[in-house]
Amino acid sequence: DDKYPTDYFLPQLENHRVYALQENNQRTPRIIKFNPNSPGKTEEVMKIGAQIMPYFHIKNHLITWDEYRKDARFSKHTYNVINIYNTLTGVKKTLTKDSRFYTPILSNDISKLVCVEVNLDNESSLAILDPNSGNKIDSIALPSNMHIQQPYFNENSNKIVAISVDQRGTNLIEIDLETKAMKELLSWSNLQLE
């Protein structure tokens, strides 16, 4: 029923439903869900705000995503916030304010929320937040001039694998959350990793 081409980003299977970020020129971006056995019948979970890059993550009954914001008075002051939505209760909460956090992901036991943080000096780190309060539990600094994208937990939620980008090109990097050790998984190249 949309008259414009529609994009479905980041499909994720959770609780026997496919969740995706739906965007087009007709409506506000929203997270939708559908039964994989009848994909023509989508149901809106919720609308979301503006994002720098389309992104969300679902684990069990919690959905998290980041949104781009501008200061109402000083429009050149921009920041990102992390939101979380409980699909069981229908409660949406903004966990962070005036922050520079991106691409949040929940651990398998939903006890940790990990995201990329980029400070005003353009230095990146991996921030570990409490998913209930948004308080920073820990942070792992990345090497100078290295940025990471699309973090993902391993099965035990004790390591993160992410795309790393620096002057050498791109790579996959594994970060141990307990020891904070980093390990390159591939050779550096100019391949586009997604």
Side-chain angles (χ1 to χ4, degrees):
D1 56 329
D2 290 339
K3 57 184 178 179
Y4 293 97
T6 301
D7 294 315
Y8 293 87
F9 294 109
L10 305 160
Q12 299 170 49
L13 183 64
E14 193 71 34
N15 302 321
H16 309 293
R17 295 287 180 264
V18 174
Y19 289 79
L21 181 56
Q22 182 188 52
E23 287 187 7
N24 67 22
N25 292 335
Q26 184 175 348
R27 65 179 82 226
T28 304
R30 63 187 185 155
I31 295 173
I32 55 104
K33 69 178 179 178
F34 60 87
N35 183 327
N37 297 324
S38 55
K41 297 174 75 176
T42 63
E43 179 183 337
E44 179 180 301
V45 177
M46 62 190 209
K47 291 178 175 52
I48 65 169
Q51 295 185 297
I52 293 173
M53 300 234 355
Y55 184 84
F56 83 102
H57 179 254
I58 182 167
K59 184 57 69 176
N60 296 337
H61 62 282
L62 297 177
I63 299 174
T64 185
W65 71 100
D66 59 83
E67 290 180 2
Y68 176 77
R69 302 278 169 89
K70 284 185 178 185
D71 186 283
R73 184 171 179 194
F74 305 104
S75 63
K76 289 189 179 182
H77 177 203
T78 60
Y79 52 93
N80 257 31
V81 296
I82 300 296
N83 297 297
I84 197 159
Y85 177 79
N86 187 321
T87 60
L88 300 177
T89 64
V91 174
K92 175 189 166 192
K93 185 161 69 169
T94 299
L95 291 177
T96 65
K97 296 183 187 215
D98 295 338
S99 59
R100 295 177 56 89
F101 296 127
Y102 306 88
T103 58
I105 183 168
L106 290 155
S107 60
N108 293 324
D109 64 358
I110 61 173
S111 67
K112 293 181 280 222
L113 188 146
V114 170
C115 51
V116 179
E117 181 176 20
V118 181
N119 67 22
L120 292 173
D121 293 325
N122 209 29
E123 298 167 332
S124 295
S125 61
L126 195 64
I128 302 164
L129 309 179
D130 179 303
N132 298 308
S133 66
N135 293 333
K136 191 188 289 190
I137 300 167
D138 201 0
S139 183
I140 301 172
L142 296 172
S144 181
N145 298 319
M146 179 184 284
H147 299 284
I148 60 171
Q149 304 168 347
Q150 301 178 10
Y152 195 81
F153 275 101
N154 70 346
E155 189 176 307
N156 298 326
S157 293
N158 62 349
K159 293 180 181 177
I160 291 283
V161 173
I163 299 169
S164 57
V165 180
D166 71 10
Q167 67 275 8
R168 297 172 287 178
T170 58
N171 203 338
L172 287 180
I173 190 168
E174 180 184 80
I175 303 168
D176 189 308
L177 298 178
E178 294 161 10
T179 65
K180 300 185 179 183
M182 295 180 203
K183 176 179 164 188
E184 296 170 1
L185 300 177
L186 303 172
S187 299
W188 289 95
S189 70
N190 288 321
L191 294 176
Q192 182 172 334
L193 302 175
E194 293 185 27

